[in-house]
Amino acid sequence: MTEIATTPVERVERVVIRFAGDSGDGMQLTGDRFVAETAGLGNDIATLPDFPAEIRAPQGTLPGVSAFQLHFGDHFVLTPGDQADVLVAMNPAALKANIGHLRHGATIIVNSDDFTPRNLKKVGYDDNPLENGSLSSYAVHAIPLTTLTVKGLEDLEIGRKEAERAKNMFALGMLSWLYSRPTESTIEYIEKRFAAKPAIAKANVSALRAGWNFGETTEGFAVRYEVGPAPMKPGRYRTVHGNTALAYGLVAASVQAKLPLFLGAYPITPATDVLQELAKFKNFGVVTFQAEDEIAAVGAALGASFGGSLGITTTSGPGVDLKAETIGLAVALELPLVLCDIQRAGPSTGMPTKTEQSDLLLAMFGRHGEAPVPVIAPQSPTDCFDAAIEAVRIATTYRTPVYLLSDAYLANGSEPWLIPDAASLPDLTVEFATAAEDGEPFLPYSRNPETLARPWAIPGTPGLEHRIGGIEKANGSGDISYDPSNHDTMVRLRQAKIDGIAATIPDLEVDDPDGDAEVLVIGWGSTYGSIAAAVRVARESGRKVAQAHLRHLNPLPSNTGDVLRRYPKVLLPELNLGQLALLLRGKFLVDVASYTQLRGLPFQTADLVEAIEGMVAS
């Protein structure tokens, strides 16, 4: 019997893959399924979905290209990767738009069926790059994915158009074979998703298997690859997107607070996923209200808080503009409210599917009058869960609106999440006001001596009647007051209440192994992974670099000033024009060096390494 030759397997530490095609080619689904398969093998993962704002841009054009990049390895993965090792391009537009994201010598797998003269001309190719030698520095595999998919499904009772749509599953099967990924979870997912359309389910499963078999039988690949599992804490894991983790955190917080959750929201990219996810949790008492506009959404959420629920509203930058007046009202009423701002590139409509950290100053000061609001920011997709719980803790404890600043990179990105033990979650139980037994009048603006929070009184409770509204209230009684001294007192009390939160948040931790770093790199929010990766590289080259990352931005941790003054040089990378740098310089009079970028993308590690090297050299 003749033995069938098997493709040799090479063990690698890490791989960066980028799937790209038209918006309708299913690249986001393909990437998500590859991530799920990879997570099942225990690899650490970071992802970067990169898609256009248009719902359906013209087919085969550069503005319509949708891409999904993932980085997985046998170690702690911090970023989606600077440059891809593999590009799967479904058409000429996908190739042209993404060639700049590849490292020298990368593998390019293209759907050669789509490289027609018409499609090449549409994106500005004078001749076919698969034939003119312009890709000679890459390992190119021109594969007729559409033809192979249709041929593999010719025995099924579906039309050619439906068969062609399954080419992303063919590509997924081929890549799963190439990188030794299992496909069982994807088959289960397809059968569940298309349970009502068994013919479509069968077609996609067949295409997936055909892609795997093509990899197994073709002689086009000299080697296949294997990436071992990463060391992780024991426990139960699942992959999770940032918006999903945020929704789970809000539900968990409502359970821990023993409060019904009410979400008032208006759909807006990239925050809509939170609304859609929370709508699934009616069994936890969650009520979701899709309002007619942003103003109605936040007004309903604040009304829910007044009624004794956990009021939440979600939006992005343009919606924050519209919600500002009601947030100021929540400051005056001193009621808990959580505003989740999933930041995106602006101004105006800007680049709605691209990431940016440009709403910090808006969250800090974007209201008339002295209206201080706590601000916190998660550092990774999974950290959105913990940040949501912390936002609810602050809002309910201090009776204040709270800003949670996520962004599009965190919202759409995914990573493995160690599902926490419910017993480990904090007790957020809220005590509502009760009528005094001795008949003393209710004072709605009396203060808790520790938190300065006023009582949370459920409307309709006998003996707890009180006035609400935006006009200034008298301290204690809550009566309308135009007294100048009272207004001064109330403004200072509201500010002191927010300042006092610093006593309940952890000190700013500094990662400085030897304690003698020359440069401190400090950041906030989604820049954590890029900064950590750059610091790791700089240390490997012998540089003495410390890192610190802020979650609480208002108030700042009590030791922030001491940390900044400890280092001769401080570098602050931000995806804006230096908003936190402005605040730190003004508050602590420290010469913070700002390093900024506004490209709608996260920082590349190499760029930050260069900035760190420059700081050390200076």
Side-chain angles (χ1 to χ4, degrees):
M1 179 181 291
T2 303
E3 288 190 10
I4 299 176
T6 58
T7 306
V9 177
E10 178 182 330
R11 188 74 174 256
V12 293
E13 294 182 352
R14 50 173 290 279
V15 179
V16 179
I17 299 177
R18 192 171 180 91
F19 296 95
D22 274 331
S23 295
D25 283 338
M27 294 296 94
Q28 303 304 318
L29 174 62
T30 305
D32 272 337
R33 294 317 310 163
F34 195 95
V35 167
E37 294 171 0
T38 298
L41 291 180
N43 299 128
D44 200 12
I45 311 165
T47 70
L48 176 63
D50 187 9
F51 44 86
E54 292 80 4
I55 294 175
R56 192 65 183 268
Q59 193 171 11
T61 64
L62 293 173
V65 173
S66 176
F68 188 104
Q69 183 165 308
L70 65 135
H71 179 190
F72 61 102
D74 61 4
H75 56 280
F76 186 32
V77 171
L78 293 162
T79 75
D82 284 4
Q83 295 179 307
D85 302 299
V86 181
L87 169 66
V88 179
M90 289 296 187
N91 56 29
L95 175 64
K96 190 167 189 177
N98 290 280
I99 192 74
H101 294 285
L102 301 182
R103 65 168 177 80
H104 183 80
T107 297
I108 300 177
I109 300 172
V110 298
N111 179 16
S112 57
D113 285 328
D114 258 35
F115 279 69
T116 64
R118 182 174 181 271
N119 288 344
L120 292 168
K121 184 178 180 180
K122 194 182 294 186
V123 295
Y125 278 126
D126 295 327
D127 50 6
N128 194 336
L130 305 182
E131 300 170 354
N132 63 12
S134 61
L135 302 177
S136 59
S137 59
Y138 304 99
V140 180
H141 299 268
I143 301 171
L145 296 178
T146 304
T147 299
L148 291 171
T149 303
V150 172
K151 184 175 178 58
L153 305 182
E154 59 187 2
D155 294 333
L156 302 184
E157 295 181 358
I158 61 170
R160 180 180 175 87
K161 190 173 182 180
E162 285 75 17
E164 289 181 357
R165 286 176 177 168
K167 63 181 180 291
N168 65 321
M169 288 295 106
F170 186 98
L172 177 59
M174 183 173 59
L175 267 291
S176 299
W177 170 84
L178 186 60
Y179 286 95
S180 307
R181 309 288 98 181
T183 58
E184 288 80 10
S185 66
T186 297
I187 292 172
E188 182 179 337
Y189 169 85
I190 291 171
E191 291 174 341
K192 182 177 180 181
R193 176 171 179 174
F194 296 107
K197 299 178 179 179
I200 299 299
K202 188 174 182 180
N204 280 276
V205 170
S206 297
L208 181 74
R209 288 172 172 158
W212 177 281
N213 293 336
F214 174 80
E216 187 78 15
T217 57
T218 185
E219 297 180 358
F221 297 104
V223 65
R224 62 189 297 207
Y225 302 93
E226 186 177 90
V227 181
M232 293 185 177
K233 294 180 180 179
R236 186 180 181 188
Y237 285 82
R238 59 157 291 179
T239 56
V240 67
H241 294 84
N243 272 351
T244 304
L246 176 57
Y248 290 174
L250 293 172
V251 174
S254 75
V255 171
Q256 296 303 105
K258 301 177 179 62
L259 296 174
L261 189 157
F262 178 93
L263 173 71
Y266 180 76
I268 183 172
T269 301
T272 304
D273 289 343
V274 182
L275 166 62
Q276 294 173 335
E277 193 65 39
L278 284 175
K280 303 174 183 177
F281 288 96
K282 294 180 177 63
N283 57 319
F284 281 91
V286 174
V287 174
T288 52
F289 169 56
Q290 182 173 316
E292 66 269 27
D293 57 39
E294 296 281 7
I295 298 172
V298 69
L302 181 57
S305 289
F306 175 61
S309 293
L310 175 59
I312 310 290
T313 189
T314 55
T315 190
S316 191
V320 176
D321 298 339
L322 296 169
K323 295 179 189 288
E325 184 177 5
T326 304
I327 297 300
L329 175 61
V331 171
L333 297 182
E334 300 190 49
L335 286 172
L337 180 69
V338 176
L339 189 150
C340 304
D341 176 8
I342 317 302
Q343 300 167 97
R344 71 189 205 188
S348 187
T349 305
M351 298 194 296
T353 61
K354 309 302 180 183
T355 197
E356 208 163 270
Q357 291 182 304
S358 53
D359 292 352
L360 175 56
L361 294 182
L362 174 63
M364 289 286 293
F365 307 116
R367 296 162 297 282
H368 64 278
E370 294 288 343
V373 171
V375 180
I376 68 173
Q379 67 182 29
S380 68
T382 57
D383 190 44
C384 290
F385 177 87
D386 298 305
I389 293 176
E390 175 67 354
V392 171
R393 180 192 74 83
I394 292 174
T396 54
T397 302
Y398 293 88
R399 315 287 199 261
T400 178
V402 176
Y403 269 94
L404 190 153
L405 294 183
S406 179
D407 60 38
Y409 171 46
L410 297 184
N412 297 315
S414 60
E415 61 183 356
W417 178 44
L418 175 59
I419 301 174
D421 182 357
S424 69
L425 300 179
D427 182 2
L428 304 179
T429 304
V430 173
E431 292 187 6
F432 290 107
T434 56
E437 294 181 359
D438 58 6
E440 286 293 314
F442 174 57
L443 297 177
Y445 281 84
S446 59
R447 304 274 167 187
N448 180 301
E450 295 182 0
T451 65
L452 297 182
R454 81 174 186 92
W456 192 356
I458 302 297
T461 304
L464 301 184
E465 296 85 358
H466 62 287
R467 185 188 301 273
I468 65 166
I471 297 178
E472 186 65 278
K473 306 297 186 297
N475 188 30
S477 70
D479 295 333
I480 289 177
S481 174
Y482 290 96
D483 178 66
S485 297
N486 176 77
H487 177 59
D488 184 272
T489 297
M490 293 295 280
V491 168
R492 295 180 188 278
L493 279 171
R494 289 190 288 259
Q495 183 64 59
K497 180 175 68 171
I498 304 307
D499 293 341
I501 296 171
T504 66
I505 64 177
D507 278 349
L508 177 60
E509 294 185 1
V510 183
D511 177 17
D512 186 358
D514 299 323
D516 59 349
E518 306 164 12
V519 174
L520 170 68
V521 186
I522 190 170
W524 67 277
S526 66
T527 58
Y528 172 78
S530 300
I531 292 173
V535 167
R536 183 165 65 186
V537 172
R539 286 175 179 168
E540 288 171 354
S541 64
R543 301 302 187 187
K544 294 183 178 297
V545 184
Q547 180 189 1
H549 210 75
L550 289 161
R551 166 185 276 185
H552 295 85
L553 302 169
N554 189 39
L556 292 161
S558 301
N559 68 328
T560 303
D562 295 335
V563 168
L564 294 175
R565 297 184 189 100
R566 192 186 310 164
Y567 295 91
K569 300 174 184 177
V570 179
L571 178 66
L572 173 50
E574 293 184 81
L575 299 176
N576 55 46
L577 291 179
Q579 296 186 15
L580 181 59
L582 175 70
L583 296 177
L584 296 183
R585 290 187 196 118
K587 186 173 181 66
F588 301 112
L589 302 180
V590 172
D591 185 18
V592 175
S594 184
Y595 182 80
T596 64
Q597 169 185 297
L598 294 102
R599 300 175 58 242
L601 296 168
F603 283 112
Q604 290 204 338
T605 301
D607 292 338
L608 291 184
V609 171
E610 184 178 347
I612 293 171
E613 296 282 355
M615 285 287 289
V616 173
S618 67

